[in-house]
Amino acid sequence: MAVHPGLARAQHSADLDCTMQFSLSTWSLVYKQSEGRGFVTCRDGQSMHVKIVARGGGLTVGKSRIDDGTGRFTDVHSISEILGHYGDAEAHAGAGNASEAQVLTKGDVSLALSGTGKGIDLGVDVGEVTLSRTK
């Protein structure tokens, strides 16, 4: 069975390769608050500066910082689809230098984050991460 050319292009465009370099600082005492900046680039030449805000609750105490973090988006048709609210769930424990990785979702779009940071961190939390465009 032949695939219609328009359908083949639509299927291919859903796999726009976009990555993000970011830094993130976190302070938490019961309620977690993280803020940072990132730069998203896509294989098709599109790019965007983003602000990262993460909020959550649960049992958590600590202070940490991630520099030179990386993220990879999947199921993206256009760079504008990376913006918005992502669900977040994680468990973590660390002191000194620690590595962290997690996957966030927003509908069909997923964002896998990884990074190495410094600080003291202990807890379990569930929350939301928001990416918004900056200039």
Short mmCIF file of all heavy atoms in Angstrom, two decimals, residues 42-109:
data_model
loop_
_atom_site.label_atom_id
_atom_site.label_comp_id
_atom_site.label_asym_id
_atom_site.label_seq_id
_atom_site.Cartn_x
_atom_site.Cartn_y
_atom_site.Cartn_z
N CYS A 42 16.37 23.71 17.04
CA CYS A 42 15.79 22.60 16.29
C CYS A 42 16.61 22.37 15.03
O CYS A 42 17.24 23.29 14.50
CB CYS A 42 14.34 22.90 15.91
SG CYS A 42 13.26 23.09 17.34
N ARG A 43 16.58 21.14 14.57
CA ARG A 43 17.36 20.75 13.40
C ARG A 43 17.02 21.59 12.17
O ARG A 43 17.86 21.81 11.31
CB ARG A 43 17.14 19.27 13.10
CG ARG A 43 17.95 18.81 11.88
CD ARG A 43 17.78 17.36 11.62
NE ARG A 43 18.63 16.65 12.59
CZ ARG A 43 18.61 15.35 12.75
NH1 ARG A 43 17.79 14.62 12.07
NH2 ARG A 43 19.42 14.78 13.61
N ASP A 44 15.77 22.09 12.08
CA ASP A 44 15.37 22.87 10.91
C ASP A 44 15.83 24.33 10.98
O ASP A 44 15.48 25.14 10.14
CB ASP A 44 13.85 22.81 10.71
CG ASP A 44 13.07 23.51 11.81
OD1 ASP A 44 13.68 23.98 12.79
OD2 ASP A 44 11.83 23.58 11.68
N GLY A 45 16.63 24.70 12.01
CA GLY A 45 17.19 26.04 12.11
C GLY A 45 16.44 26.97 13.05
O GLY A 45 16.93 28.05 13.36
N GLN A 46 15.26 26.58 13.53
CA GLN A 46 14.52 27.41 14.46
C GLN A 46 15.21 27.39 15.83
O GLN A 46 15.79 26.38 16.22
CB GLN A 46 13.09 26.90 14.63
CG GLN A 46 12.26 26.93 13.37
CD GLN A 46 10.87 26.39 13.66
OE1 GLN A 46 10.03 27.08 14.22
NE2 GLN A 46 10.66 25.13 13.28
N SER A 47 15.12 28.52 16.56
CA SER A 47 15.67 28.57 17.92
C SER A 47 14.84 29.53 18.76
O SER A 47 14.12 30.38 18.23
CB SER A 47 17.14 28.99 17.90
OG SER A 47 17.28 30.29 17.39
N MET A 48 14.94 29.38 20.10
CA MET A 48 14.15 30.21 20.99
C MET A 48 14.77 30.20 22.39
O MET A 48 15.17 29.16 22.90
CB MET A 48 12.72 29.62 21.07
CG MET A 48 11.79 30.35 21.99
SD MET A 48 10.18 29.50 22.24
CE MET A 48 9.69 29.03 20.61
N HIS A 49 14.83 31.39 23.01
CA HIS A 49 15.20 31.49 24.42
C HIS A 49 13.94 31.25 25.24
O HIS A 49 12.87 31.75 24.90
CB HIS A 49 15.74 32.89 24.73
CG HIS A 49 17.09 33.14 24.15
ND1 HIS A 49 18.26 32.76 24.78
CD2 HIS A 49 17.47 33.72 22.98
CE1 HIS A 49 19.29 33.11 24.04
NE2 HIS A 49 18.84 33.68 22.93
N VAL A 50 14.07 30.48 26.33
CA VAL A 50 12.91 30.18 27.17
C VAL A 50 13.23 30.43 28.64
O VAL A 50 14.37 30.33 29.07
CB VAL A 50 12.42 28.72 27.01
CG1 VAL A 50 11.88 28.47 25.61
CG2 VAL A 50 13.51 27.71 27.36
N LYS A 51 12.17 30.76 29.37
CA LYS A 51 12.22 30.85 30.83
C LYS A 51 11.63 29.55 31.36
O LYS A 51 10.62 29.07 30.85
CB LYS A 51 11.40 32.03 31.33
CG LYS A 51 11.38 32.16 32.84
CD LYS A 51 10.56 33.37 33.27
CE LYS A 51 10.54 33.46 34.79
NZ LYS A 51 9.75 34.63 35.22
N ILE A 52 12.26 28.98 32.38
CA ILE A 52 11.80 27.73 32.98
C ILE A 52 11.35 28.03 34.41
O ILE A 52 12.12 28.61 35.19
CB ILE A 52 12.92 26.68 33.01
CG1 ILE A 52 13.49 26.45 31.62
CG2 ILE A 52 12.43 25.38 33.64
CD1 ILE A 52 14.81 25.71 31.61
N VAL A 53 10.12 27.66 34.75
CA VAL A 53 9.61 27.81 36.11
C VAL A 53 9.03 26.47 36.52
O VAL A 53 8.20 25.90 35.81
CB VAL A 53 8.52 28.90 36.20
CG1 VAL A 53 7.94 28.96 37.61
CG2 VAL A 53 9.08 30.25 35.79
N ALA A 54 9.49 25.95 37.66
CA ALA A 54 8.99 24.68 38.18
C ALA A 54 8.44 24.93 39.58
O ALA A 54 9.08 25.57 40.40
CB ALA A 54 10.09 23.63 38.23
N ARG A 55 7.23 24.43 39.81
CA ARG A 55 6.61 24.55 41.14
C ARG A 55 6.06 23.20 41.53
O ARG A 55 5.57 22.45 40.69
CB ARG A 55 5.49 25.57 41.11
CG ARG A 55 5.99 26.98 40.85
CD ARG A 55 4.87 27.99 40.99
NE ARG A 55 5.41 29.33 40.88
CZ ARG A 55 5.38 30.05 39.76
NH1 ARG A 55 4.85 29.55 38.68
NH2 ARG A 55 5.90 31.25 39.75
N GLY A 56 6.12 22.90 42.81
CA GLY A 56 5.59 21.63 43.26
C GLY A 56 5.43 21.58 44.75
O GLY A 56 5.84 22.48 45.47
N GLY A 57 4.82 20.51 45.22
CA GLY A 57 4.62 20.32 46.64
C GLY A 57 5.16 18.98 47.06
O GLY A 57 5.98 18.39 46.37
N GLY A 58 4.67 18.48 48.15
CA GLY A 58 5.15 17.20 48.64
C GLY A 58 6.19 17.40 49.71
O GLY A 58 6.39 18.49 50.22
N LEU A 59 6.87 16.35 50.05
CA LEU A 59 7.90 16.40 51.08
C LEU A 59 9.24 16.65 50.41
O LEU A 59 9.77 15.79 49.72
CB LEU A 59 7.93 15.06 51.84
CG LEU A 59 9.07 14.87 52.83
CD1 LEU A 59 8.96 15.91 53.94
CD2 LEU A 59 9.03 13.48 53.40
N THR A 60 9.78 17.84 50.60
CA THR A 60 11.06 18.15 49.99
C THR A 60 11.77 19.26 50.77
O THR A 60 11.14 20.17 51.26
CB THR A 60 10.90 18.53 48.50
OG1 THR A 60 12.18 18.77 47.94
CG2 THR A 60 10.02 19.73 48.29
N VAL A 61 13.07 19.15 50.91
CA VAL A 61 13.89 20.15 51.58
C VAL A 61 15.19 20.24 50.81
O VAL A 61 15.76 19.22 50.46
CB VAL A 61 14.19 19.74 53.04
CG1 VAL A 61 15.18 20.71 53.67
CG2 VAL A 61 12.91 19.67 53.85
N GLY A 62 15.67 21.44 50.54
CA GLY A 62 16.98 21.52 49.91
C GLY A 62 17.22 22.75 49.10
O GLY A 62 16.37 23.63 48.96
N LYS A 63 18.41 22.81 48.56
CA LYS A 63 18.87 23.89 47.71
C LYS A 63 19.80 23.24 46.69
O LYS A 63 20.68 22.47 47.05
CB LYS A 63 19.62 24.91 48.56
CG LYS A 63 20.26 26.02 47.78
CD LYS A 63 20.90 27.00 48.74
CE LYS A 63 22.39 26.93 48.60
NZ LYS A 63 23.10 27.98 49.33
N SER A 64 19.58 23.52 45.41
CA SER A 64 20.45 22.92 44.40
C SER A 64 20.51 23.81 43.17
O SER A 64 19.73 24.74 43.01
CB SER A 64 19.94 21.52 44.01
OG SER A 64 18.65 21.60 43.47
N ARG A 65 21.47 23.50 42.31
CA ARG A 65 21.64 24.24 41.06
C ARG A 65 22.11 23.28 39.99
O ARG A 65 22.97 22.45 40.23
CB ARG A 65 22.67 25.35 41.26
CG ARG A 65 22.92 26.14 40.00
CD ARG A 65 23.75 27.37 40.29
NE ARG A 65 24.00 28.10 39.06
CZ ARG A 65 23.16 28.95 38.51
NH1 ARG A 65 22.01 29.18 39.08
NH2 ARG A 65 23.45 29.55 37.38
N ILE A 66 21.51 23.40 38.81
CA ILE A 66 21.95 22.63 37.65
C ILE A 66 22.48 23.62 36.62
O ILE A 66 21.78 24.56 36.25
CB ILE A 66 20.80 21.80 37.04
CG1 ILE A 66 20.32 20.75 38.03
CG2 ILE A 66 21.24 21.15 35.73
CD1 ILE A 66 19.10 19.98 37.58
N ASP A 67 23.71 23.44 36.18
CA ASP A 67 24.30 24.22 35.11
C ASP A 67 24.58 23.27 33.95
O ASP A 67 24.85 22.10 34.15
CB ASP A 67 25.62 24.86 35.56
CG ASP A 67 25.39 25.96 36.58
OD1 ASP A 67 24.52 26.81 36.35
OD2 ASP A 67 26.08 25.95 37.61
N ASP A 68 24.52 23.78 32.75
CA ASP A 68 24.80 22.98 31.55
C ASP A 68 23.90 21.76 31.45
O ASP A 68 24.35 20.68 31.06
CB ASP A 68 26.28 22.56 31.51
CG ASP A 68 27.21 23.77 31.46
OD1 ASP A 68 26.85 24.74 30.76
OD2 ASP A 68 28.25 23.75 32.12
N GLY A 69 22.63 21.91 31.84
CA GLY A 69 21.66 20.82 31.67
C GLY A 69 21.27 20.69 30.21
O GLY A 69 21.44 21.61 29.41
N THR A 70 20.78 19.52 29.83
CA THR A 70 20.33 19.30 28.46
C THR A 70 18.92 18.71 28.46
O THR A 70 18.52 18.04 29.41
CB THR A 70 21.27 18.33 27.70
OG1 THR A 70 21.31 17.08 28.39
CG2 THR A 70 22.67 18.90 27.57
N GLY A 71 18.19 19.00 27.41
CA GLY A 71 16.85 18.46 27.24
C GLY A 71 16.64 18.07 25.79
O GLY A 71 17.23 18.66 24.88
N ARG A 72 15.81 17.06 25.57
CA ARG A 72 15.47 16.62 24.22
C ARG A 72 13.96 16.47 24.14
O ARG A 72 13.35 15.80 24.95
CB ARG A 72 16.14 15.30 23.88
CG ARG A 72 15.76 14.79 22.48
CD ARG A 72 16.57 13.62 22.02
NE ARG A 72 17.98 13.92 21.85
CZ ARG A 72 18.50 14.56 20.80
NH1 ARG A 72 17.73 14.99 19.84
NH2 ARG A 72 19.79 14.76 20.72
N PHE A 73 13.36 17.14 23.15
CA PHE A 73 11.92 17.10 22.92
C PHE A 73 11.59 16.01 21.90
O PHE A 73 12.34 15.81 20.95
CB PHE A 73 11.43 18.44 22.37
CG PHE A 73 11.61 19.58 23.33
CD1 PHE A 73 12.77 20.33 23.33
CD2 PHE A 73 10.61 19.90 24.23
CE1 PHE A 73 12.94 21.39 24.20
CE2 PHE A 73 10.77 20.96 25.11
CZ PHE A 73 11.93 21.70 25.10
N THR A 74 10.46 15.34 22.10
CA THR A 74 9.96 14.36 21.12
C THR A 74 8.52 14.69 20.77
O THR A 74 7.81 15.33 21.55
CB THR A 74 10.04 12.92 21.65
OG1 THR A 74 9.30 12.82 22.86
CG2 THR A 74 11.49 12.50 21.91
N ASP A 75 8.08 14.22 19.61
CA ASP A 75 6.73 14.44 19.07
C ASP A 75 6.42 15.92 18.88
O ASP A 75 5.34 16.39 19.19
CB ASP A 75 5.66 13.79 19.96
CG ASP A 75 5.41 12.36 19.55
OD1 ASP A 75 5.81 11.99 18.43
OD2 ASP A 75 4.81 11.62 20.34
N VAL A 76 7.39 16.68 18.35
CA VAL A 76 7.23 18.10 18.09
C VAL A 76 7.08 18.32 16.58
O VAL A 76 7.87 17.82 15.80
CB VAL A 76 8.45 18.88 18.63
CG1 VAL A 76 8.36 20.35 18.27
CG2 VAL A 76 8.57 18.71 20.13
N HIS A 77 6.05 19.10 16.19
CA HIS A 77 5.85 19.47 14.79
C HIS A 77 6.46 20.84 14.49
O HIS A 77 6.91 21.11 13.40
CB HIS A 77 4.36 19.55 14.45
CG HIS A 77 3.65 18.24 14.54
ND1 HIS A 77 3.14 17.75 15.72
CD2 HIS A 77 3.37 17.32 13.61
CE1 HIS A 77 2.57 16.59 15.50
NE2 HIS A 77 2.70 16.30 14.23
N SER A 78 6.42 21.73 15.50
CA SER A 78 6.89 23.11 15.36
C SER A 78 7.49 23.53 16.69
O SER A 78 7.05 23.09 17.76
CB SER A 78 5.70 24.01 15.01
OG SER A 78 6.04 25.37 15.18
N ILE A 79 8.47 24.41 16.67
CA ILE A 79 9.14 24.84 17.89
C ILE A 79 8.15 25.46 18.89
O ILE A 79 8.33 25.37 20.09
CB ILE A 79 10.31 25.80 17.59
CG1 ILE A 79 11.21 25.95 18.84
CG2 ILE A 79 9.81 27.13 17.08
CD1 ILE A 79 12.52 26.64 18.58
N SER A 80 7.07 26.06 18.40
CA SER A 80 6.08 26.68 19.30
C SER A 80 5.41 25.66 20.20
O SER A 80 4.91 26.02 21.27
CB SER A 80 5.03 27.45 18.49
OG SER A 80 4.31 26.56 17.67
N GLU A 81 5.41 24.38 19.82
CA GLU A 81 4.79 23.34 20.63
C GLU A 81 5.56 23.03 21.92
O GLU A 81 5.03 22.38 22.81
CB GLU A 81 4.63 22.05 19.83
CG GLU A 81 3.60 22.14 18.75
CD GLU A 81 3.46 20.85 17.98
OE1 GLU A 81 4.34 19.97 18.08
OE2 GLU A 81 2.46 20.72 17.28
N ILE A 82 6.79 23.49 22.03
CA ILE A 82 7.55 23.22 23.25
C ILE A 82 7.08 24.09 24.41
O ILE A 82 7.34 23.78 25.56
CB ILE A 82 9.07 23.39 23.03
CG1 ILE A 82 9.40 24.84 22.69
CG2 ILE A 82 9.57 22.46 21.95
CD1 ILE A 82 10.53 25.37 23.49
N LEU A 83 6.38 25.20 24.12
CA LEU A 83 5.94 26.11 25.17
C LEU A 83 4.73 25.55 25.91
O LEU A 83 3.93 24.82 25.35
CB LEU A 83 5.57 27.47 24.55
CG LEU A 83 6.70 28.17 23.80
CD1 LEU A 83 6.17 29.41 23.10
CD2 LEU A 83 7.84 28.51 24.73
N GLY A 84 4.63 25.87 27.21
CA GLY A 84 3.46 25.47 27.98
C GLY A 84 3.82 24.73 29.25
O GLY A 84 4.96 24.74 29.72
N HIS A 85 2.81 24.05 29.81
CA HIS A 85 2.92 23.36 31.10
C HIS A 85 3.18 21.87 30.90
O HIS A 85 2.45 21.21 30.17
CB HIS A 85 1.62 23.53 31.89
CG HIS A 85 1.21 24.95 32.05
ND1 HIS A 85 1.84 25.82 32.90
CD2 HIS A 85 0.23 25.66 31.45
CE1 HIS A 85 1.26 27.00 32.83
NE2 HIS A 85 0.29 26.94 31.95
N TYR A 86 4.17 21.35 31.59
CA TYR A 86 4.52 19.93 31.56
C TYR A 86 4.29 19.33 32.94
O TYR A 86 4.60 19.96 33.94
CB TYR A 86 6.00 19.74 31.20
CG TYR A 86 6.35 20.10 29.78
CD1 TYR A 86 6.53 21.43 29.40
CD2 TYR A 86 6.50 19.11 28.82
CE1 TYR A 86 6.86 21.75 28.10
CE2 TYR A 86 6.83 19.43 27.51
CZ TYR A 86 7.01 20.75 27.16
OH TYR A 86 7.33 21.07 25.86
N GLY A 87 3.77 18.10 32.98
CA GLY A 87 3.63 17.38 34.24
C GLY A 87 4.98 16.85 34.68
O GLY A 87 5.81 16.49 33.86
N ASP A 88 5.19 16.80 35.99
CA ASP A 88 6.49 16.44 36.55
C ASP A 88 6.29 15.51 37.73
O ASP A 88 5.44 15.75 38.57
CB ASP A 88 7.19 17.72 37.01
CG ASP A 88 8.48 17.49 37.75
OD1 ASP A 88 9.17 16.51 37.45
OD2 ASP A 88 8.81 18.30 38.62
N ALA A 89 7.06 14.45 37.80
CA ALA A 89 7.06 13.58 38.98
C ALA A 89 8.47 13.05 39.15
O ALA A 89 9.08 12.61 38.18
CB ALA A 89 6.10 12.42 38.80
N GLU A 90 9.01 13.11 40.36
CA GLU A 90 10.37 12.65 40.56
C GLU A 90 10.61 12.22 41.99
O GLU A 90 9.91 12.62 42.90
CB GLU A 90 11.39 13.73 40.17
CG GLU A 90 11.35 14.95 41.06
CD GLU A 90 12.40 15.96 40.67
OE1 GLU A 90 13.60 15.64 40.82
OE2 GLU A 90 12.04 17.04 40.23
N ALA A 91 11.63 11.41 42.17
CA ALA A 91 12.14 11.08 43.49
C ALA A 91 13.63 11.33 43.43
O ALA A 91 14.27 11.01 42.43
CB ALA A 91 11.86 9.62 43.83
N HIS A 92 14.20 11.90 44.48
CA HIS A 92 15.61 12.26 44.40
C HIS A 92 16.26 12.27 45.77
O HIS A 92 15.61 12.42 46.77
CB HIS A 92 15.77 13.63 43.74
CG HIS A 92 14.95 14.69 44.41
ND1 HIS A 92 13.64 14.92 44.04
CD2 HIS A 92 15.21 15.52 45.43
CE1 HIS A 92 13.15 15.88 44.81
NE2 HIS A 92 14.08 16.27 45.65
N ALA A 93 17.55 12.12 45.77
CA ALA A 93 18.35 12.28 46.98
C ALA A 93 19.77 12.56 46.54
O ALA A 93 20.27 11.94 45.62
CB ALA A 93 18.32 11.01 47.83
N GLY A 94 20.40 13.53 47.16
CA GLY A 94 21.76 13.82 46.75
C GLY A 94 22.42 14.81 47.67
O GLY A 94 21.76 15.56 48.36
N ALA A 95 23.72 14.83 47.67
CA ALA A 95 24.51 15.81 48.40
C ALA A 95 25.80 16.01 47.62
O ALA A 95 26.34 15.07 47.06
CB ALA A 95 24.81 15.33 49.81
N GLY A 96 26.27 17.23 47.57
CA GLY A 96 27.46 17.51 46.78
C GLY A 96 27.12 17.52 45.30
O GLY A 96 26.13 18.10 44.89
N ASN A 97 27.93 16.86 44.49
CA ASN A 97 27.65 16.77 43.06
C ASN A 97 26.73 15.58 42.82
O ASN A 97 26.98 14.49 43.28
CB ASN A 97 28.95 16.56 42.26
CG ASN A 97 29.85 17.76 42.34
OD1 ASN A 97 29.39 18.88 42.50
ND2 ASN A 97 31.14 17.53 42.22
N ALA A 98 25.65 15.80 42.07
CA ALA A 98 24.70 14.73 41.79
C ALA A 98 24.17 14.88 40.37
O ALA A 98 24.11 15.98 39.85
CB ALA A 98 23.55 14.76 42.80
N SER A 99 23.80 13.77 39.77
CA SER A 99 23.18 13.79 38.45
C SER A 99 21.69 13.55 38.62
O SER A 99 21.27 12.82 39.51
CB SER A 99 23.77 12.71 37.55
OG SER A 99 25.10 13.00 37.27
N GLU A 100 20.90 14.17 37.75
CA GLU A 100 19.46 14.02 37.82
C GLU A 100 18.93 13.88 36.40
O GLU A 100 19.42 14.51 35.48
CB GLU A 100 18.85 15.25 38.50
CG GLU A 100 17.37 15.14 38.74
CD GLU A 100 16.87 16.26 39.62
OE1 GLU A 100 17.57 16.70 40.53
OE2 GLU A 100 15.73 16.68 39.37
N ALA A 101 17.91 13.05 36.23
CA ALA A 101 17.26 12.88 34.93
C ALA A 101 15.79 12.66 35.15
O ALA A 101 15.39 12.05 36.15
CB ALA A 101 17.86 11.70 34.17
N GLN A 102 14.96 13.19 34.26
CA GLN A 102 13.53 12.98 34.37
C GLN A 102 12.88 13.24 33.02
O GLN A 102 13.46 13.88 32.15
CB GLN A 102 12.92 13.86 35.45
CG GLN A 102 12.97 15.34 35.17
CD GLN A 102 12.51 16.14 36.35
OE1 GLN A 102 13.30 16.45 37.22
NE2 GLN A 102 11.26 16.45 36.40
N VAL A 103 11.66 12.73 32.87
CA VAL A 103 10.89 12.94 31.65
C VAL A 103 9.60 13.66 32.03
O VAL A 103 8.92 13.28 32.97
CB VAL A 103 10.56 11.60 30.94
CG1 VAL A 103 9.67 11.85 29.73
CG2 VAL A 103 11.85 10.90 30.54
N LEU A 104 9.30 14.72 31.30
CA LEU A 104 8.10 15.53 31.50
C LEU A 104 7.22 15.38 30.27
O LEU A 104 7.72 15.20 29.16
CB LEU A 104 8.50 17.00 31.65
CG LEU A 104 9.59 17.29 32.65
CD1 LEU A 104 10.20 18.65 32.39
CD2 LEU A 104 9.03 17.23 34.05
N THR A 105 5.90 15.49 30.44
CA THR A 105 5.00 15.38 29.30
C THR A 105 4.00 16.53 29.27
O THR A 105 3.62 17.08 30.30
CB THR A 105 4.22 14.05 29.31
OG1 THR A 105 3.47 13.98 30.52
CG2 THR A 105 5.15 12.87 29.20
N LYS A 106 3.60 16.88 28.04
CA LYS A 106 2.59 17.89 27.77
C LYS A 106 1.80 17.38 26.57
O LYS A 106 2.22 17.55 25.43
CB LYS A 106 3.24 19.24 27.48
CG LYS A 106 2.26 20.34 27.13
CD LYS A 106 2.98 21.61 26.74
CE LYS A 106 3.57 21.48 25.38
NZ LYS A 106 2.95 22.26 24.33
N GLY A 107 0.71 16.68 26.81
CA GLY A 107 -0.01 16.06 25.70
C GLY A 107 0.88 15.02 25.05
O GLY A 107 1.43 14.15 25.72
N ASP A 108 1.07 15.13 23.74
CA ASP A 108 1.92 14.20 23.01
C ASP A 108 3.40 14.56 23.09
O ASP A 108 4.26 13.74 22.76
CB ASP A 108 1.50 14.14 21.54
CG ASP A 108 0.16 13.48 21.35
OD1 ASP A 108 -0.25 12.70 22.23
OD2 ASP A 108 -0.49 13.74 20.31
N VAL A 109 3.71 15.80 23.48
CA VAL A 109 5.10 16.26 23.51
C VAL A 109 5.76 15.81 24.81
O VAL A 109 5.19 15.94 25.89
CB VAL A 109 5.17 17.80 23.40
CG1 VAL A 109 6.61 18.28 23.49
CG2 VAL A 109 4.54 18.27 22.09
#
